[in-house]
């Protein structure tokens, strides 16, 4: 387990990163990548949408282009304070402080569940993916963005020491273990020199 897969370490990390997160994030995850990921979702009419690990609200901002009923959850109050500055606490978005592995929502509560840049910090990613499936309605969609596993062996050792990085084979294993039957992976990249993101779009079974 990487050092940032410990929740207390992750909270401390984001206490300081939150001050510059929006400036540095665009080198790994930018508006073009977000728009592409959003295009893979089916929002339908009047969707209820959840952003898990919403952070400063970058993904949330994109979701607001497609839905009026948007909810955001994060464990870092420092990150969410930046989101409050953008959207207010209860104005455009309903925010909650909570844990991705123990979501405080009823079953089948959302049409779309989005999570970008969060899974890499979950100590038990399969449990987190189960929770995303639980709170999404049957036939709804879950989208998860995480860091693709490096090809370079030196970078692999560094990645393993920090947090969760995973390739498509590992993504298959995690999503299958979490009970998903239908899903597809996309590799996204901000620039040719940027780290790759692996974006998985899954259909919630049982429609």
């Amino acid at each position: 387990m990487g050092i940032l897969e410990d929740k207390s370490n992750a909270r401390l990390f984001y206490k300081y990163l939150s001050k510059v997160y929006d400036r540095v994030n665009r080198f790994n995850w930018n508006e073009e990548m977000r728009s592409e990921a959003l295009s893979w979702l089916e929002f339908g009419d009047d969707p209820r949408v959840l952003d898990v690990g919403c952070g400063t609200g970058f993904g949330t901002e994109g979701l607001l282009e497609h839905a009026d009923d948007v909810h955001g959850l994060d464990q870092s109050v420092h990150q969410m304070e930046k989101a409050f500055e953008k959207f207010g606490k209860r104005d455009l978005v309903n925010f909650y402080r909570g844990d991705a592995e123990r979501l405080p929502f009823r079953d089948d509560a959302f049409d779309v569940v989005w999570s970008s840049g969060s899974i890499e910090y979950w100590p038990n990613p399969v449990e987190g993916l189960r929770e995303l499936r639980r709170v999404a309605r049957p036939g709804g969609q879950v989208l998860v963005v995480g860091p693709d596993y490096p090809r370079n062996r030196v970078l692999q050792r560094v990645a393993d020491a920090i947090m969760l990085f995973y390739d498509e084979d590992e993504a298959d294993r995690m999503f299958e273990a979490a009970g998903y039957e239908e899903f597809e992976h996309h590799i996204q990249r901000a620039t040719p020199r940027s780290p790759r993101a692996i974006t998985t779009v899954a259909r919630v079974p049982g429609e």
Side-chain angles (χ1 to χ4, degrees):
M1 179 182 291
I3 188 171
L4 292 182
E5 290 174 86
D6 178 281
K7 293 176 185 178
S8 60
N9 289 343
R11 284 194 294 270
L12 181 62
F13 174 70
Y14 271 109
K15 176 179 179 180
Y16 297 101
L17 184 63
S18 63
K19 302 178 188 302
V20 296
Y21 183 83
D22 285 341
R23 293 199 296 274
V24 302
N25 185 52
R26 66 178 182 269
F27 297 108
N28 298 322
W29 177 242
N30 60 27
E31 291 182 4
E32 291 77 14
M33 296 167 72
R34 182 185 66 189
S35 294
E36 183 179 37
L38 286 163
S39 74
W40 297 325
L41 294 172
E42 302 163 7
F43 287 93
D45 298 327
D46 299 321
R48 191 167 192 249
V49 177
L50 173 64
D51 185 358
V52 176
C54 62
T56 64
F58 183 75
T60 315
E61 185 177 15
L63 293 168
L64 283 167
E65 297 173 3
H66 298 267
D68 294 325
D69 190 1
V70 177
H71 303 254
L73 175 141
D74 203 279
Q75 70 158 343
S76 169
V77 67
H78 300 95
Q79 287 282 83
M80 285 197 297
E81 284 173 351
K82 299 297 182 182
F84 299 159
E85 293 173 8
K86 298 175 185 176
F87 311 114
K89 286 188 178 182
R90 297 285 175 182
D91 297 331
L92 295 174
V93 180
N94 291 309
F95 286 104
Y96 313 82
R97 187 177 184 189
D99 189 333
E101 295 169 3
R102 294 187 297 275
L103 294 174
F105 308 108
R106 61 176 175 80
D107 295 359
D108 309 339
F110 299 95
D111 300 291
V112 171
V113 178
W114 166 288
S115 183
S116 54
S118 181
I119 189 174
E120 57 264 40
Y121 302 106
W122 302 351
N124 299 294
V126 171
E127 186 59 35
L129 292 174
R130 287 194 187 105
E131 277 290 274
L132 269 55
R133 177 174 62 84
R134 179 185 67 78
V135 301
R137 66 166 177 81
Q141 289 177 291
V142 168
L143 183 145
V144 176
V145 184
D148 189 42
Y149 198 58
R151 304 295 187 263
N152 180 284
R153 290 192 176 183
V154 173
L155 293 178
Q156 287 175 355
R157 289 197 290 271
V158 174
D160 290 341
I162 298 173
M163 58 190 182
L164 175 68
F165 287 73
Y166 57 95
D167 59 15
E168 293 189 36
D169 288 341
E170 179 63 9
D172 285 346
R173 186 198 69 77
M174 292 191 299
F175 275 83
E176 288 171 359
Y180 297 88
E181 300 169 1
E182 179 185 345
F183 50 84
E184 59 184 17
H185 311 302
H186 306 266
I187 300 300
Q188 297 183 278
R189 204 172 195 180
T191 72
R193 294 188 176 185
S194 299
R196 292 183 303 271
I198 179 167
T199 300
T200 301
V201 184
R203 182 77 63 183
V204 178
E207 185 177 16

